[in-house]
Amino acid sequence: MNTIKHVAIIMDGNGRWGLKKKKNRNFGHKKGLLTVEKIIKQTIKNKIKYLTLFAFSTENWKRPKNEIKYLFKLLENFIKERIVEFNKNNIKLKIIGIKKFSPQLNKLLSDSEKKTKKNNKLQINLALNYGSKDEIIHTIKKLIKNKKKINEINISKSLFTEGIPEPDILIRTGNTHRLSNFLLWQIAYSEIFFEKKLWPDFNESDYNKILNKFKKIKRNFGKI
Ligand code: IPE
Ligand code: IPE
Ligand code: MG
C-alpha cells in the first residue's frame, strides 16, 4: 500500500457552481471555502503531512477586478478568522507564490507564516499568485546568481516548495483536464485524479475515495 505524504489540489469550479445556483460566481467562491475546511479536516484524519491548495494563479489576474477583489477579501477574512485555530491544531501555513498584494494582506500572510512556523502536524501550502513557469524562472535565476550548478537536486531545493516532498496525488475538481500552470516540476511522478464535481460539491467521501484508490496503485518511477 502506498503511503500519502502530500496531496495537491486545483480547487476548480466555484464560478460555475455559483452560476448554476442562479446566483453569481462570487457566491461559488464563498461556498468553496466550506469545502476547504472539510478537506483540511479530512487530511488531518488521514495523517497526511502536506496539503497544497491552488487558490490564485498568476493568470487569474486576467479576471474582472470585482472578482479578484472579492477573492482576496474572502482570503483575508478566512485567515484572520482561522489562524488562531490553525495554530492551536498544530497546522503550519506556508504561502507559495509571490506575495505582491496589498500591504495589509502581505503583512497578514507573513505574520501567519511566522506564527505557525514551528507547527508540524499538517503543513498547508497556499498557492497564491502562483505560477509554475514563474517559479521555475525565479529558481533558475536564483541559482545563477548564487553561482550554483543547474541540476535536478539544486532546482528542487530552490523552488518555492523547497523541503516539501513532491505531491503523491494531484486532484483537480471541476471536470477540466488540464494543469493550468500548477506545480509542473513537482508533479512529474504524481498520480493525477480529475474529478467531475465542482469544488463546492466535492466532499469528504469523494476525497477518501481518491485517497483509497491511490493506495492501491502500482507506482513504477520508471522501474517495472
Ligand atoms: C476556483 O474556480 C478557482 C479560483 C481561481 C479561485 P473558478 O473560479 O475557476 O471556477 P470556474 O472554473 O470558473 O467554474
Ligand atoms: C486554476 O483554475 C487556478 C486555481 C484553481 C486557483 P482556473 O480556473 O484559473 O484555470 P483555467 O484558466 O480554467 O485553466
Ligand atoms: Mg476555473
Side-chain angles (χ1 to χ4, degrees):
M1 285 254 269
N2 301 315
T3 54
I4 311 169
K5 286 203 200 91
H6 184 176
V7 176
I9 308 182
I10 303 174
M11 311 182 287
D12 195 27
N14 288 346
R16 278 166 285 161
W17 190 91
L19 295 175
K20 219 175 79 181
K21 297 286 168 193
K22 308 269 180 291
K23 293 267 172 60
N24 49 43
R25 293 182 50 85
N26 288 346
F27 182 65
H29 290 310
K30 190 160 179 214
K31 188 75 193 326
L33 269 185
L34 298 178
T35 309
V36 171
E37 295 191 7
K38 285 184 202 162
I39 295 308
I40 293 174
K41 284 204 185 107
Q42 208 54 40
T43 305
I44 295 175
K45 271 203 183 140
N46 281 280
K47 301 194 167 61
I48 297 165
K49 284 271 170 198
Y50 298 91
L51 175 67
T52 301
L53 299 173
F54 202 5
F56 195 87
S57 74
T58 46
E59 287 71 30
N60 288 146
W61 294 110
K62 294 175 194 153
R63 294 189 177 202
K65 275 209 181 77
N66 80 326
E67 181 167 337
I68 297 176
K69 211 172 142 195
Y70 187 83
L71 276 170
F72 283 105
K73 197 70 209 158
L74 265 187
L75 170 77
E76 191 179 323
N77 291 343
F78 181 74
I79 301 216
K80 277 186 186 156
E81 281 166 22
R82 296 296 150 137
I83 198 65
V84 174
E85 188 188 325
F86 277 5
N87 205 13
K88 257 198 220 142
N89 291 329
N90 202 6
I91 296 174
K92 171 174 172 175
L93 182 72
K94 184 182 163 70
I95 308 301
I96 61 169
I98 308 280
K99 281 195 229 72
K100 252 203 249 164
F101 313 108
S102 69
Q104 308 98 277
L105 184 58
N106 290 339
K107 184 168 183 309
L108 177 69
L109 294 171
S110 301
D111 289 350
S112 304
E113 286 183 294
K114 255 187 238 152
K115 201 182 264 173
T116 60
K117 205 176 154 183
K118 297 212 172 95
N119 295 344
N120 59 12
K121 187 173 201 174
L122 168 69
Q123 175 167 336
I124 299 175
N125 304 309
L126 200 56
L128 274 183
N129 188 22
Y130 173 88
S132 191
K133 290 186 178 177
D134 195 46
E135 177 187 32
I136 292 169
I137 293 167
H138 187 267
T139 301
I140 307 271
K141 280 188 180 162
K142 195 160 87 182
L143 291 175
I144 293 173
K145 191 170 155 225
N146 296 331
K147 300 201 168 53
K148 292 269 174 51
K149 269 204 188 123
I150 307 292
N151 59 29
E152 195 176 322
I153 291 176
N154 283 345
I155 292 176
S156 293
K157 272 204 315 204
S158 308
L159 292 166
F160 299 149
T161 50
E162 153 200 8
I164 301 167
E166 288 178 352
D168 302 292
I169 298 173
L170 171 73
I171 301 170
R172 179 176 189 139
T173 59
N175 200 20
T176 302
H177 299 190
R178 57 176 171 254
L179 299 173
S180 305
N181 200 13
F182 190 48
L183 302 176
L184 301 179
W185 175 280
Q186 295 89 334
I187 59 163
Y189 265 107
S190 305
E191 303 295 334
I192 303 182
F193 295 83
F194 291 109
E195 164 68 45
K196 282 205 176 81
K197 282 191 180 176
L198 305 173
W199 178 247
D201 287 329
F202 189 66
N203 61 33
E204 293 92 340
S205 140
D206 301 317
Y207 187 46
N208 283 333
K209 267 188 208 142
I210 292 175
L211 301 181
N212 288 331
K213 220 175 186 179
F214 166 83
K215 288 182 190 158
K216 297 183 199 120
I217 292 174
K218 183 169 175 282
R219 303 183 83 192
N220 292 347
F221 299 102
K223 293 179 266 180
I224 53 168

